[in-house]
Amino acid sequence: MKILVINNKGQYNHRIQRSLQYLQIPSELVSNDLSIEEIEAKEPMGLILGGGPSIDDVGNAAEYIKYFDIPILGICLGHQLIAKTFGGDVSTSSTESYAQVEIDIAKSEGLFKGIESPMAVWSSHKDEVNTLPENFEVLASSSLCDIESMKHLDKEIYGIQFHPEVHHTPKGEEIFKNFYEICQKYNEN
């Protein structure tokens, strides 16, 4: 079993895949145009929804969120897509920055297990989640954005506005390791 990285045509999707390979986490980068059946045939243990240029150009990624009952991690655009799929609101940020910011972690468990708050991250704030979807909780926030990270209350579905795959997020590897652990535990049941 492996984690599938859904390529939403963003500049960092290949870097997400390389980061997982470096950590020896079994994974594969796949197109967001694959059908549900094609994704199912790969028997994923989890999905990572990568970034991309537009929330209107995500292929079948929204369908994956609705269909699969496995851990899902949305990064940047993937985070926004999860929010939109569950009824949250996404809009253009008033700050529109692309820089290192400090996020305040509300819960140092699950995705943020073993990571101290505040955490330095490389974050893109062109678009952001500004209304939390129903049945989600905020895991992290910053001075630029109230919803830097969120989690579904009943499912292993996470969203992060920042990029754990770049060296400007020093603890980014821990995010991937924690997500892999979440996937392993989920698939043991």
Side-chain angles (χ1 to χ4, degrees):
M1 295 186 85
K2 58 190 162 192
I3 293 173
L4 296 184
V5 180
I6 308 302
N7 188 348
N8 286 318
K9 303 173 186 148
Q11 61 181 336
Y12 289 138
N13 288 277
H14 291 277
R15 191 179 293 233
I16 294 169
Q17 166 66 17
R18 281 197 305 274
S19 295
L20 295 174
Q21 285 178 328
Y22 174 75
L23 295 169
Q24 298 181 341
I25 296 173
S27 59
E28 180 183 350
L29 181 66
V30 299
S31 169
N32 65 9
D33 292 325
L34 294 183
S35 67
I36 293 285
E37 294 75 25
E38 288 171 308
I39 295 288
E40 236 173 359
K42 293 180 179 291
E43 299 180 350
M45 67 185 315
L47 301 177
I48 294 179
L49 306 174
S54 169
I55 202 159
D56 299 317
D57 185 22
V58 290
N60 296 322
E63 296 306 312
Y64 307 156
I65 296 167
K66 294 175 195 169
Y67 181 82
F68 288 102
D69 186 23
I70 54 176
I72 298 174
L73 172 60
I75 297 174
C76 197
L77 177 78
H79 164 64
Q80 297 156 19
L81 183 60
I82 288 170
K84 191 173 178 182
T85 300
F86 282 95
D89 188 42
V90 175
S91 64
T92 301
S93 169
S94 57
T95 53
E96 285 201 45
S97 68
Y98 196 67
Q100 193 170 46
V101 299
E102 283 195 342
I103 63 170
D104 295 309
I105 300 167
K107 290 186 174 182
S108 291
E109 58 189 48
L111 201 61
F112 292 98
K113 185 179 95 178
I115 301 173
E116 290 183 21
S117 184
M119 176 186 180
V121 301
W122 188 255
S123 198
S124 167
H125 284 95
K126 183 177 184 300
D127 296 312
E128 63 187 22
V129 177
N130 57 22
T131 304
L132 192 68
E134 195 174 331
N135 295 319
F136 276 76
E137 65 180 332
V138 175
L139 295 182
S141 59
S142 74
S143 60
L144 296 178
C145 178
D146 291 337
I147 309 171
E148 289 281 358
S149 178
M150 63 183 186
K151 180 196 180 297
H152 194 283
L153 292 172
D154 304 315
K155 301 178 180 189
E156 297 296 339
I157 299 177
Y158 300 83
I160 55 176
Q161 181 69 36
F162 61 91
H163 291 273
E165 71 277 12
V166 298
H167 73 274
H168 296 295
T169 302
K171 297 281 187 185
E173 288 183 357
E174 298 305 312
I175 296 290
F176 287 131
K177 288 177 187 174
N178 287 340
F179 182 66
Y180 182 46
E181 188 177 309
I182 289 164
C183 291
Q184 288 176 311
K185 284 181 181 171
Y186 184 87
N187 286 280
E188 283 171 4
N189 299 333

